[in-house]
Amino acid sequence: TLLGWISKHEPEVARRTRYIIECKDFTKLRLTGSVSTDYTDAAIGGLLDMRSGEYARKLMDRLGLGAWIEKLPPLIDSDQIAGEVTHEAARQTGLQVGTPVICGAIDIVASTLASGVTDARQASIVAGTWSINNLVHKKPQTAPLPFLQMPYPIDNQYLACEATATSASNLEWMCQRLLEADKDRAKKEGKSIYDLCNAMVANRRDKPSQITFFPYLYGGPNNARASFIGASASDEKADLVYAVYEGIVFAHKAHVCDLLRADTAIKPDVVRLAGGAARSDVWAQMFADALGMPVEIADGQEMGAHGACIMASVGIGAHKSIADAVSGMVRVAKRFEPNLQRQSMYEERYRRFTALADALSAHW
């Protein structure tokens, strides 16, 4: 889409362009002087033929993007050395000349690796700014096509992803816009606003709730809009906060259900959770209860950077393969088993969530 727009509206830019590369690849170029990208970024950009593993040149030509084909960078593996730090880059950064620079991968893949996902037995959920939900497949998923799909650099597998901006960014909005006084109080007490939110949710999660929150502040399926439905005068602040937590969990669950409908999907045994929600024990437990599967959280917080380290360890020969690196560099820090009583409650609540969404879809 971007290439088509540039061709139409900025043809001079298109003519002057030598390579089209992703942000990580531009950083590599500045560090090493060499140009390349990996298969995951090419797939995310819509430029990869998933079956052949090469650029989708025929498709690009049919879409009127043939002039861009010669500007595609060489494809290399995510754990492959892309080049070495040059003298100029060393002068600018303080890095040592000759330091190997590994190609790397898209952040979705890096975070999934850092969560310890190696095959279809583990699902990956990243609950952060976006709702990122992934399943590993033995072959490309075609029915239905997922939102995103990319090669997964373990045993020639593939990662199918469903994603929308319906996750923890909704809670961030609530904290910034509706809980300012609570935020100031938490700061005076040496806590964060998220500590207070977690406490509110923990204290009322076993109470009946009639409020449904749709976490679509930043967009949702079929142009859906965010809303609270079912609130009454007797409800308190904690009830609204709880509804936001629950609505975000249900948005993730909807994506997981979509992924499990695929012709190549295998129901996982466990969910590996990352992102801001993974720092909240009460929220992680809600994911386990609502999904009806154990939820595990890998040690560490910067999962994208951790995933990059995993790939780098293979590139420099510290591990034989990415699977070996994941085995040696990822440790499960916490595990949450689903509560059967709450699981039944969430099944009923999720049916209400989907029924209301279907009823409102014509008006969004």
Side-chain angles (χ1 to χ4, degrees):
T1 303
L2 292 173
L3 297 180
W5 189 95
I6 293 172
S7 295
K8 181 178 180 180
H9 298 285
E10 298 181 356
E12 179 56 29
V13 172
R15 283 191 292 271
R16 290 191 292 112
T17 299
R18 178 64 188 91
Y19 286 109
I20 49 175
I21 52 178
E22 300 285 354
C23 54
K24 81 175 194 318
D25 303 318
F26 180 74
T27 304
K28 298 200 324 264
L29 169 62
R30 294 300 303 274
L31 286 171
T32 68
S34 62
V35 176
S36 63
T37 193
D38 79 299
Y39 295 91
T40 68
D41 251 330
I44 288 291
L47 301 175
L48 192 72
D49 182 330
M50 296 295 295
R51 294 197 180 278
S52 70
E54 301 294 335
Y55 283 120
R57 292 178 175 86
K58 290 183 179 179
L59 177 60
M60 290 179 67
D61 196 48
R62 288 178 61 187
L63 294 174
L65 303 175
W68 292 98
I69 292 175
E70 64 179 15
K71 306 176 192 296
L72 295 169
L75 285 166
I76 64 175
D77 291 331
S78 301
D79 57 4
Q80 186 174 333
I81 294 178
E84 297 178 344
V85 173
T86 64
H87 287 277
E88 177 59 20
R91 184 187 67 80
Q92 294 186 44
T93 64
L95 295 170
Q96 186 174 343
V97 175
T99 300
V101 178
I102 311 302
C103 184
I106 188 71
D107 56 355
I108 294 172
V109 167
S111 296
T112 303
L113 291 172
S115 292
V117 174
T118 58
D119 55 43
R121 292 173 298 176
Q122 305 113 355
S124 166
I125 288 180
V126 182
T129 304
W130 273 59
S131 167
I132 307 290
N133 311 272
N134 308 302
L135 287 183
V136 176
H137 296 257
K138 290 289 187 182
K139 59 182 181 179
Q141 177 183 321
T142 58
L145 285 171
F147 175 66
L148 294 172
Q149 189 162 208
M150 65 222 77
Y152 195 58
I154 295 180
D155 296 334
N156 297 316
Q157 298 179 108
Y158 299 86
L159 196 67
C161 173
E162 292 292 346
T164 48
T166 55
S167 196
S169 51
N170 286 266
L171 177 62
E172 177 70 15
W173 174 88
M174 186 179 206
C175 292
Q176 295 293 337
R177 302 294 180 87
L178 304 181
L179 302 177
E180 292 184 12
D182 299 89
K183 192 174 181 180
D184 292 339
R185 177 166 62 88
K187 187 175 181 179
K188 291 177 181 177
E189 296 175 357
K191 302 177 181 178
S192 76
I193 181 60
Y194 305 109
D195 293 330
L196 291 186
C197 289
N198 289 334
M200 287 188 218
V201 173
N203 289 334
R204 62 95 43 239
R205 64 179 169 180
D206 289 322
K207 299 177 183 177
S209 175
Q210 296 301 316
I211 306 176
T212 297
F213 174 69
F214 292 106
Y216 305 143
L217 287 166
Y218 303 96
N222 303 316
N223 299 313
R225 303 298 298 270
S227 58
F228 288 97
I229 295 179
S232 68
S234 62
D235 289 319
E236 300 178 351
K237 187 184 304 179
D239 297 301
L240 296 176
V241 175
Y242 171 82
V244 170
Y245 274 55
E246 183 186 75
I248 291 170
V249 170
F250 286 166
H252 279 276
K253 181 178 174 69
H255 283 316
V256 172
C257 290
D258 287 340
L259 287 169
L260 289 173
R261 292 189 187 100
D263 54 351
T264 53
I266 298 174
K267 190 176 188 302
D269 299 325
V270 66
V271 172
R272 293 287 174 89
L273 179 65
R279 301 171 192 170
S280 164
D281 285 0
V282 66
W283 214 347
Q285 185 63 57
M286 288 177 71
F287 272 93
D289 297 340
L291 294 171
M293 286 186 282
V295 167
E296 294 179 341
I297 298 173
D299 196 19
Q301 294 185 358
E302 298 296 337
M303 306 306 277
H306 190 176
C309 291
I310 287 171
M311 289 176 275
S313 75
V314 180
I316 64 172
H319 289 97
K320 293 181 180 179
S321 67
I322 290 182
D324 288 339
V326 168
S327 177
M329 297 175 66
V330 177
R331 181 179 67 86
V332 173
K334 294 181 178 180
R335 181 180 169 98
F336 300 85
E337 298 288 345
N339 179 297
L340 295 180
Q341 184 175 353
R342 292 198 197 107
Q343 183 179 343
S344 176
M345 176 192 73
Y346 282 124
E347 286 176 356
E348 181 180 345
R349 297 278 300 149
Y350 181 68
R351 283 193 291 269
R352 172 183 167 84
F353 179 90
T354 55
L356 285 171
D358 289 344
L360 290 170
S361 61
H363 306 284
W364 280 326

